[in-house]
């Protein structure tokens, strides 16, 4: 059984990674920014013992020595999974608001490992790919038409931790292309009750750019990590069903 440090444990991807790690019986210490978020994690995993799940508060992961406290314990870590990173949709400065904090935070973690835990066997760092269009905005509202289901991305992190041949390598995690038009068609076909709320089937827009799409190569992840990606249809269907459950829960608790 490995002992894992998972940064940003309340994040979208990290919460799925945490579920898989605990289900596999791993011992996990995760970081969050506040006591409130720490309590949310404990409430979500009520059956995890304090020896299997620990939570450390790191209010500002880009400050000097931010992660030093994580390594001040008797039990050492075998693996570090770094997913903590600033991310929001309303940004005006990609470099200053996204890239610089992510880089500084990653360096701070690596410095803490070098200084306090040189025996750690593996460090996994999650990277986002960010696109920017200045001259035009594609119909789908992004310059990046690749997607991956968060459950597949979480499993890839676990497989990368477990696989012997996954050291010092980058893995592009993507199931392929998507467009808003395709998403609408999946919802239209699987949830007819929402058809009145969707654009008409022959409505223009929402597709791929006329100039075509870039290529990608995700073969390293599929071969070395043994990944089989969910289809866009399955992912969108599960997402809608999840939102329906949330909506019903809000009605019950209102």
């Amino acid at each position: 059984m490995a002992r894992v440090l998972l940064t940003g444990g309340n994040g979208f991807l990290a919460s799925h990674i945490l579920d898989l790690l605990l289900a596999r019986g791993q011992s996990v210490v995760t970081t969050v920014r506040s006591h409130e978020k720490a309590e949310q994690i404990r409430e979500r995993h009520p059956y995890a013992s304090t020896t299997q799940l620990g939570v450390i508060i790191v209010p500002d992961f880009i400050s000097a020595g931010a992660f030093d406290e994580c390594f001040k314990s008797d039990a050492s870590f075998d693996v570090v999974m770094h997913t903590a990173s600033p991310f929001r949709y309303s940004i005006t400065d990609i470099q200053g608001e996204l890239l610089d904090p992510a880089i500084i935070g990653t360096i701070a973690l690596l410095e803490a490992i070098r200084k306090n835990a040189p025996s750690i066997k593996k460090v996994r760092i999650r990277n986002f790919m960010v696109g920017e269009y200045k001259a035009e905005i594609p119909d789908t509202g992004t310059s990046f038409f690749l997607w991956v289901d968060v459950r597949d991305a979480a499993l890839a992190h676990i497989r990368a931790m477990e696989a012997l041949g996954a050291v010092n390598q980058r893995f592009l995690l993507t199931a392929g292309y998507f467009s808003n038009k395709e998403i609408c068609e999946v919802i239209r076909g699987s949830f007819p009750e929402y058809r009145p709320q969707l654009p008409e089937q022959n409505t223009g827009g929402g597709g791929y750019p006329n100039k075509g799409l870039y290529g990608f190569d995700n073969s390293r992840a599929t071969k070395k990590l043994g990944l089989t990606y969910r289809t866009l249809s399955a992912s969108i269907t599960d997402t809608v069903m999840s939102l329906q459950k949330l909506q019903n829960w809000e009605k019950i608790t209102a």
Side-chain angles (χ1 to χ4, degrees):
M1 180 180 71
R3 190 164 189 261
V4 181
L5 173 64
L6 173 66
T7 66
N10 63 306
F12 183 49
L13 173 60
S15 62
H16 286 80
I17 295 175
L18 180 58
D19 290 345
L20 290 177
L21 287 171
L22 294 176
R24 279 166 156 74
Q26 309 290 8
S27 174
V28 185
V29 173
T30 189
T31 69
V32 293
R33 292 193 177 193
S34 67
H35 290 282
E36 179 185 5
K37 289 181 170 58
E39 285 304 313
Q40 290 173 356
I41 286 182
R42 293 189 181 99
E43 289 173 2
R44 185 178 175 184
H45 301 282
Y47 301 109
S49 66
T50 54
T51 56
Q52 188 185 15
L53 176 60
V55 185
I56 296 177
I57 312 298
V58 180
D60 182 10
F61 65 80
I62 66 172
S63 61
F67 292 101
D68 287 356
E69 190 66 29
C70 299
F71 301 98
K72 294 179 181 178
S73 63
D74 295 332
S76 60
F77 293 106
D78 301 297
V79 178
V80 174
M81 292 188 179
H82 182 44
T83 70
S85 185
F87 184 80
R88 54 185 179 273
Y89 291 101
S90 299
I91 59 172
T92 57
D93 180 5
I94 290 178
Q95 185 71 40
E97 296 179 62
L98 291 182
L99 297 181
D100 287 345
I103 293 169
I104 293 171
T106 300
I107 292 174
L109 176 63
L110 294 175
E111 284 291 341
I113 293 172
R114 182 188 63 81
K115 183 170 59 176
N116 301 292
S119 62
I120 284 177
K121 301 179 181 69
K122 290 184 179 181
V123 178
R124 296 294 170 204
I125 300 173
R126 182 276 312 269
N127 294 310
F128 276 124
M129 296 177 68
V130 180
E132 179 182 22
Y133 262 73
K134 295 182 178 179
E136 61 178 322
I137 301 176
D139 288 334
T140 301
T142 176
S143 59
F144 200 66
F145 291 87
L146 297 178
W147 75 281
V148 64
D149 190 293
V150 66
R151 295 166 294 183
D152 296 333
L155 179 60
H157 282 69
I158 305 299
R159 295 271 179 87
M161 177 187 77
E162 298 171 341
L164 296 177
V167 179
N168 295 328
Q169 297 188 54
R170 288 178 178 268
F171 295 96
L172 174 62
L173 305 178
T174 180
Y177 302 112
F178 83 99
S179 71
N180 281 348
K181 189 174 185 65
E182 289 174 315
I183 292 174
C184 286
E185 292 310 309
V186 170
I187 298 173
R188 189 190 314 280
S190 299
F191 303 92
E193 66 270 29
Y194 295 135
R195 288 177 184 173
Q197 298 167 249
L198 295 171
E200 294 292 333
Q201 197 162 11
N202 58 353
T203 300
Y208 297 111
N210 293 329
K211 60 185 178 183
L213 291 169
Y214 40 76
F216 67 88
D217 183 358
N218 63 357
S219 60
R220 180 181 294 172
T222 55
K223 292 176 181 177
K224 294 200 172 184
L225 303 182
L227 289 181
T228 301
Y229 293 102
R230 288 171 171 83
T231 64
L232 181 64
S233 177
S235 186
I236 296 302
T237 299
D238 287 350
T239 298
V240 173
M241 293 175 65
S242 177
L243 292 172
Q244 287 176 328
K245 290 179 181 178
L246 178 62
Q247 187 178 48
N248 292 335
W249 173 253
E250 289 177 344
K251 289 179 180 178
I252 293 172
T253 57

